[in-house]
Amino acid sequence: MSHKIAESFDSAEKPLRPAIVAIPARDEAERIAACLTALSDQQQCPDAVVLLLNNCADATEAIARAVAPRLRYRLSIVSRDLPRQHANAGCARRLAMQLAAAKAGRTGVLLATDADTVVPPDWVGRNLAALERGADVVCGRAVVDPWEAAMIPAHLHADDALECRLIALLDDIAWMLDPEAHDPPPRHTEASGASLAVSVDAYHRVGGIPAIACGEDRAFVASLWRMDARVRHDPGIKVVVSGRIEGRAEGGMADAIRRRMVQQDEYADEQAEPAEDAARRYSLRSRVRQAWSARRTDGGLAADLDVAAELVAGAVSGPFFGSAWAELERLSPVLRRRRVRFAELSREIERAEDVLRQLAPADAMAAD
């Protein structure tokens, strides 16, 4: 990392303030009051909340305005009728965060959540504390409302448990082979717009939320990681989200639940991959990290990646390790991702557990 960039991400001389929350909403009349009230009940209240109403056709705005006088923060309500090609969750969040950033100033903090989400009383405080400890972006966990979760068929919960188990085991493999000191266990692997916090400086460095229809939250966090921002997946930060099957965001959780109620997806989440692939991936990532730190590489790494030596050398000479790794992942046929079918989850869980058992002795000796 260049000195200039490192100085930008490492600066933490004073608490990051003000804290502005950004919420995109579309036809959330049933839930918006609970969402806004939960933000007012914080132990450490936000300075302001920006509520971006995206093509609303119900009473969301009227309810928000009725609640506003009882809130402990400044509520800014912005109503927009976005053109059809931009009337989606990703573009709405992008705009909400832009409006929040304008209020936060260069030293502020942006927090993102959703209009169907209820945050716990320590949500703002925990996010600010994680940022003040050195994180550039903080990812919280999204937990489905228990009452609504009870209405989701049992087989979907079983599928989700297997999927989450494999992803968690793969993350354990990542930690053992290529640990990142700023994101130690216990941690998780989510990057949900229902709970994000980011310094304004880091937010601007990647150009804000990507202008894509869905998956903007994961893409945003990935772009920060590529610039070597310190991404913290804090398991102590949890929010309650809707488990409804009639969602507002195309491609979101509600779509997945509704689709899987009819028929199991062929493939699990894109984070899931065969255990042997994960072990190879994170072993190679560790070697690329070392090459990037030393600003030099050798033919052995290029051969193992099956990428031309000059391309590997060019990648590791760049200012960011994350960008170097992303480029080599794109170029290397060895690192091409293979998806895991739902029918294969149990078998891959066993294989991941075997990989971890094989790694554990070496890890223990290294610790000694």
Side-chain angles (χ1 to χ4, degrees):
M1 182 186 297
S2 70
H3 176 70
K4 183 176 180 181
I5 297 296
E7 187 176 61
S8 160
F9 277 135
D10 289 341
S11 178
E13 296 177 357
K14 59 182 179 179
L16 298 168
R17 296 289 285 173
I20 313 296
V21 181
I23 307 172
R26 183 170 186 174
D27 292 342
E28 293 288 0
E30 294 181 3
R31 301 171 188 269
I32 194 60
C35 173
L36 297 176
T37 300
L39 288 165
S40 186
D41 291 341
Q42 293 295 294
Q43 297 162 359
Q44 189 169 351
C45 205
D47 295 273
V49 173
V50 174
L51 178 63
L52 187 280
L53 304 179
N54 158 35
N55 299 54
C56 284
D58 68 356
T60 302
E61 180 171 0
I63 293 171
R65 293 194 182 281
V67 170
R70 304 195 298 271
L71 303 175
R72 295 168 52 219
Y73 53 78
R74 300 189 308 276
L75 177 62
S76 175
I77 301 174
V78 179
S79 182
R80 295 287 174 84
D81 286 323
L82 302 176
R84 182 169 183 171
Q85 66 271 28
H86 296 141
N88 53 61
C91 290
R93 193 181 308 282
R94 176 179 171 84
L95 179 54
M97 290 285 274
Q98 287 174 341
L99 295 169
K103 292 181 177 292
R106 295 297 302 183
T107 62
V109 168
L110 304 177
L111 298 106
T113 190
D114 290 327
D116 67 339
T117 298
V118 174
V119 302
D122 62 355
W123 183 69
V124 171
R126 279 183 176 270
N127 276 290
L128 292 181
L131 289 168
E132 289 165 13
R133 286 193 297 267
D136 299 302
V137 59
V138 184
C139 303
R141 295 196 62 200
V143 180
V144 176
D145 178 272
W147 187 82
E148 293 184 318
M151 297 187 290
I152 297 173
H155 71 273
L156 267 70
H157 289 293
D159 285 349
D160 181 66
L162 288 174
E163 191 175 49
C164 290
R165 175 62 177 159
L166 176 58
I167 291 170
L169 289 169
L170 299 181
D171 189 53
D172 289 343
I173 292 172
W175 172 257
M176 296 185 76
L177 290 172
D178 185 38
E180 295 178 295
H182 58 266
D183 195 22
R187 63 184 190 180
H188 62 89
T189 62
E190 295 180 33
S192 169
S195 182
L196 286 177
V198 62
S199 68
V200 170
D201 181 68
Y203 165 84
H204 282 303
R205 283 197 175 276
V206 295
I209 303 294
I212 56 179
C214 63
E216 77 290 344
D217 37 17
R218 284 190 185 185
F220 175 62
V221 173
S223 67
L224 284 161
W225 190 88
R226 287 194 296 271
M227 290 189 70
D228 294 347
R230 291 180 291 262
V231 181
R232 175 63 179 140
H233 296 87
D234 191 331
I237 300 175
K238 298 179 183 179
V239 301
V240 176
V241 301
S242 167
R244 63 193 175 193
I245 62 173
E246 295 298 331
R248 307 293 183 268
E250 186 177 348
M253 181 187 294
D255 273 1
I257 293 173
R258 186 172 59 250
R259 185 180 65 247
R260 291 180 179 186
M261 285 176 67
V262 177
Q263 182 177 353
Q264 186 185 67
D265 286 349
E266 181 179 4
Y267 291 101
D269 186 275
E270 61 185 17
Q271 292 185 83
E273 66 176 329
E276 64 184 49
D277 290 17
R280 179 170 54 247
R281 182 177 310 281
Y282 297 117
S283 177
L284 286 167
R285 194 176 78 176
S286 177
R287 293 171 60 189
V288 171
R289 193 186 298 275
Q290 293 169 23
W292 176 83
S293 295
R295 289 296 191 271
R296 59 184 175 81
T297 185
D298 56 56
L301 177 58
D304 289 343
L305 288 166
D306 195 12
V307 174
E310 61 270 22
L311 294 178
V312 176
V316 302
S317 67
F320 303 111
F321 162 71
S323 296
W325 174 247
E327 176 65 4
L328 291 174
E329 269 197 311
R330 185 184 69 82
L331 292 172
S332 173
V334 173
L335 296 172
R336 188 171 296 119
R337 283 192 174 269
R338 292 191 295 161
R339 302 287 298 275
V340 174
R341 288 180 168 83
F342 266 98
E344 301 168 338
L345 282 172
S346 294
R347 182 177 60 188
E348 286 303 331
I349 286 171
E350 292 177 359
R351 289 176 173 173
E353 290 171 339
D354 286 341
V355 169
L356 287 167
R357 278 191 290 270
Q358 293 166 19
L359 291 173
D363 185 65
M365 287 194 307
D368 291 341

